[in-house]
């Protein structure tokens, strides 16, 4: 028989200590085998060789023994409770690991991080699809708003009360090294928008008739819309001139809808209605609108120079939108209509700026008093949804 060894010697009689044939261990090939695997019939010499002769045989054997043993074990309540505690603990650990993995996944891509560190602007198109999803989730939850420093409006800054313009309403040229009065820092004065570069022409050169007495009402509409837009964009309309101009046109009845409000109450009610509309309700609703009326009052209290700087900034906003619209290569819906509205809005703003330049300071104080009175009425009208009439026309005529 192959694999058999016969003891050496001349005697043909078998010895009890030396059987006629013995098998060598199939595993180590060094020792005589003493056992046989019940599964594969392999011969082995020791426990070590049995464990290493076949993983399949040893694992099956152990599994069957454990299963057979468990069949005879009846767990008590204490054992069940301990097992449940173990399973709950393992489940909690898995959830924590999943959360840690999610946190790791929420880091920006290397390309986005490199752009940020190099000082480049990162737009939404630069983000991956997963980064865009996380951005929109953070935007919807309000998490991003906590990361943005609130903007301090320039009209609430003390330097807004020290604006100096030329005789023609244009910005003054300040030489290098020129000292500012009262220790005012140039960084603070730069927060106020610059006035027009060129002197403003007399209003009689723009129209041949007398200006409408309703221009004060229209001015309230424009001031409110400007404050709304800058508050919405946290003071930085240059980051999106087209979007900013669209907000202006949607809020302002005068600039965007060809409206001709006949009273301050009508102008305020129209602006508040837009502020509380579904498009902007998320911004703050009526409470936000009332704060914008206060902004309007603050600007009126600053006088003519602040109004000219504001209207000049609004003109630059519209011009920036027109310039960006011309450079847009992609197809923009209603592009021709938007361009026409922007062109008309720019003309109205420039006309209003020239008109405001010729008005005495007293008119702004009287208009502020009227806005204060109508503020409460507009709030009540908006909450009760009552129609707005033009009963304030008499008061408007008094301040002309």
């Amino acid at each position: 028989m192959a694999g058999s060894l016969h003891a050496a010697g001349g005697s043909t009689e078998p010895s009890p200590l030396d059987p006629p044939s013995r098998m060598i261990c199939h595993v180590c090939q060094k020792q005589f085998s003493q056992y046989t695997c019940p599964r594969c019939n392999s011969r082995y010499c020791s426990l070590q060789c049995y464990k290493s002769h076949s993983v399949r045989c040893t694992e099956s054997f152990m599994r069957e023994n454990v299963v057979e043993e468990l069949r005879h074990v009846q767990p008590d309540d204490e054992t069940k409770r301990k097992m449940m505690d173990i399973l709950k603990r393992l489940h909690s650990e898995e959830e924590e690991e999943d959360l840690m993995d999610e946190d790791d996944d929420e880091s920006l891509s290397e390309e986005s991080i490199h752009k940020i560190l190099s000082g480049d602007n990162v737009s939404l198109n630069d983000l991956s699809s997963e980064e865009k999803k996380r951005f929109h989730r953070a935007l919807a939850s309000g998490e991003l708003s906590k990361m943005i420093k609130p903007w301090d409006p320039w009209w609430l800054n003390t330097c807004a009360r020290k604006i100096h313009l030329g005789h023609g309403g244009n910005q003054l040229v300040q030489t290098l090294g020129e000292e500012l009065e009262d220790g005012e820092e140039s960084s603070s004065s730069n927060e106020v928008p610059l006035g027009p570069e060129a002197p403003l022409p007399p209003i009689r050169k723009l129209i041949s008739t007398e200006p409408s007495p309703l221009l004060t009402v229209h001015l309230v509409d424009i001031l409110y819309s400007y404050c709304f837009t800058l508050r919405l964009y946290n003071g930085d309309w240059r980051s999106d001139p087209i979007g900013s101009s669209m907000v202006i046109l949607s809020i302002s009845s005068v600039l965007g809808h060809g409206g001709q409000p006949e009273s301050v109450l009508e102008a305020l009610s129209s602006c508040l209605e837009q502020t509380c509309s579904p498009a902007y309700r998320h911004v703050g609703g009526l409470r936000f609108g009332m704060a914008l009326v206060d902004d309007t009052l603050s600007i009126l209290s600053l006088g003519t120079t602040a109004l000219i700087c504001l209207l000049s900034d609004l003109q630059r906003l519209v011009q920036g939108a027109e310039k960006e619209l011309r450079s847009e290569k992609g197809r923009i819906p209603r592009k021709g209509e938007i361009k026409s509205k922007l062109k008309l809005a720019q003309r109205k703003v420039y006309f209003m700026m020239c008109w405001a330049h010729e008005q005495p300071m007293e008119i702004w104080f009287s208009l502020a008093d009227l806005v204060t009175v109508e503020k409460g009425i507009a709030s009540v009208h908006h909450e009760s949804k009552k129609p707005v009439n033009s009963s304030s026309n008499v008061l408007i005529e008094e301040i002309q």
Side-chain angles (χ1 to χ4, degrees):
M1 185 177 184
S4 302
L5 292 179
H6 296 277
S11 176
T12 57
E13 295 293 330
S15 168
L17 301 177
D18 188 14
S21 65
R22 299 186 67 181
M23 298 291 293
I24 291 293
C25 175
H26 289 177
V27 181
C28 66
Q29 302 288 326
K30 296 178 180 180
Q31 302 292 335
F32 289 108
S33 62
Q34 300 182 36
Y35 313 99
T36 302
C37 176
R39 288 188 167 275
C40 63
N41 294 323
S42 294
R43 302 283 298 183
Y44 60 93
C45 65
S46 63
L47 178 61
Q48 182 178 0
C49 286
Y50 170 74
K51 291 180 177 179
S52 59
H53 90 285
S54 173
V55 176
R56 184 175 58 184
C57 287
T58 55
E59 287 186 351
S60 299
F61 178 74
M62 294 296 293
R63 183 168 57 253
E64 290 179 358
N65 286 340
V66 171
V67 171
E68 185 65 26
E69 182 67 23
L70 289 175
R71 286 176 181 172
H72 298 285
V73 175
Q74 296 296 330
D76 54 13
D77 293 339
E78 182 66 20
T79 305
K80 291 180 181 179
R81 187 186 62 78
K82 290 182 179 180
M83 182 59 67
M84 288 299 297
D85 291 341
I86 293 173
L87 293 175
K88 289 180 180 179
R89 186 168 62 252
L90 291 174
H91 182 67
S92 299
E93 292 176 355
E94 289 178 356
E95 286 185 340
E96 291 178 0
E97 291 177 358
D98 292 341
L99 289 174
M100 293 178 65
D101 293 339
E102 290 180 2
D103 292 339
D104 293 339
D105 293 339
E106 289 186 359
S107 58
L108 290 173
S109 63
E110 292 185 3
E111 183 179 357
S112 299
I113 293 175
H114 178 72
K115 283 188 174 183
I116 295 173
L117 293 178
S118 60
D120 296 337
N121 293 327
V122 178
S123 67
L124 191 61
N125 295 330
D126 295 327
L127 302 180
S128 64
S129 58
E130 185 61 30
E131 289 172 344
K132 288 180 181 178
K133 291 179 182 178
R134 293 198 298 270
F135 174 80
H136 287 300
R137 284 199 300 266
L139 186 64
S141 65
E143 182 180 350
L144 289 182
S145 61
K146 300 177 182 178
M147 304 171 61
I148 301 175
K149 182 181 178 182
W151 172 65
D152 294 325
W154 61 264
W155 54 84
L156 299 181
N157 198 314
T158 54
C159 62
R161 298 188 175 278
K162 304 175 183 179
I163 302 174
H164 300 287
L165 296 176
H167 182 71
N170 56 307
Q171 54 184 275
L172 296 174
V173 178
Q174 186 176 1
T175 60
L176 293 176
E178 182 179 349
E179 295 184 358
L180 298 176
E181 297 179 0
D182 301 328
E184 183 181 350
E185 296 180 359
S186 59
S187 58
S188 298
S189 62
N190 288 337
E191 294 178 2
V192 176
L194 295 175
E197 296 181 358
L200 298 172
I203 196 70
R204 64 177 181 274
K205 289 188 176 182
L206 300 179
I207 56 172
S208 57
T209 60
E210 288 294 322
S212 170
L214 295 178
L215 287 180
T216 52
V217 175
H218 300 173
L219 180 63
V220 171
D221 171 276
I222 294 173
L223 295 181
Y224 181 103
S225 305
Y226 174 86
C227 295
F228 181 99
T229 304
L230 261 66
R231 288 280 191 182
L232 186 64
Y233 279 84
N234 211 39
D236 185 19
W237 61 259
R238 289 176 176 81
S239 62
D240 184 12
I242 295 179
S244 301
S245 64
M246 292 299 98
V247 174
I248 288 282
L249 296 180
S250 64
I251 297 295
S252 174
S253 170
V254 174
L255 298 180
H257 308 285
Q260 297 287 329
E262 298 180 359
S263 68
V264 172
L265 178 58
E266 185 180 349
L268 291 179
S269 297
S270 175
C271 291
L272 291 173
E273 183 178 354
Q274 293 298 325
T275 303
C276 299
S277 66
Y280 300 111
R281 189 178 299 158
H282 65 282
V283 179
L286 182 60
R287 183 177 179 183
F288 179 60
M290 290 294 104
L292 293 172
V293 178
D294 291 336
D295 284 336
T296 303
L297 290 170
S298 298
I299 294 170
L300 289 174
S301 68
L302 296 175
T304 305
T305 54
L307 287 169
I308 291 176
C309 289
L310 181 149
L311 293 169
S312 178
D313 192 42
L314 179 54
Q315 184 185 35
R316 284 190 289 268
L317 187 158
V318 177
Q319 290 173 342
E322 288 182 308
K323 181 179 179 181
E324 191 170 288
L325 203 61
R326 287 193 297 268
S327 63
E328 282 287 343
K329 297 181 180 179
R331 179 174 296 180
I332 299 177
R334 301 184 295 110
K335 185 175 182 179
E337 180 184 350
I338 295 174
K339 290 175 65 176
S340 299
K341 283 190 173 184
L342 290 176
K343 185 176 182 180
L344 181 59
Q346 180 185 323
R347 291 172 57 186
K348 288 183 177 180
V349 171
Y350 183 72
F351 179 84
M352 185 69 72
M353 183 163 47
C354 295
W355 170 81
H357 175 239
E358 297 182 358
Q359 304 308 308
M361 285 290 296
E362 291 75 13
I363 191 174
W364 312 130
F365 301 147
S366 300
L367 182 59
D369 292 338
L370 181 56
V371 171
T372 302
V373 172
E374 302 289 33
K375 173 186 174 183
I377 301 176
S379 176
V380 173
H381 273 262
H382 181 79
E383 291 178 345
S384 60
K385 301 298 182 181
K386 293 181 181 179
V388 176
N389 56 44
S390 302
S391 59
S392 302
N393 286 344
V394 177
L395 291 176
I396 294 172
E397 294 175 358
E398 291 179 0
I399 66 174
Q400 298 302 321

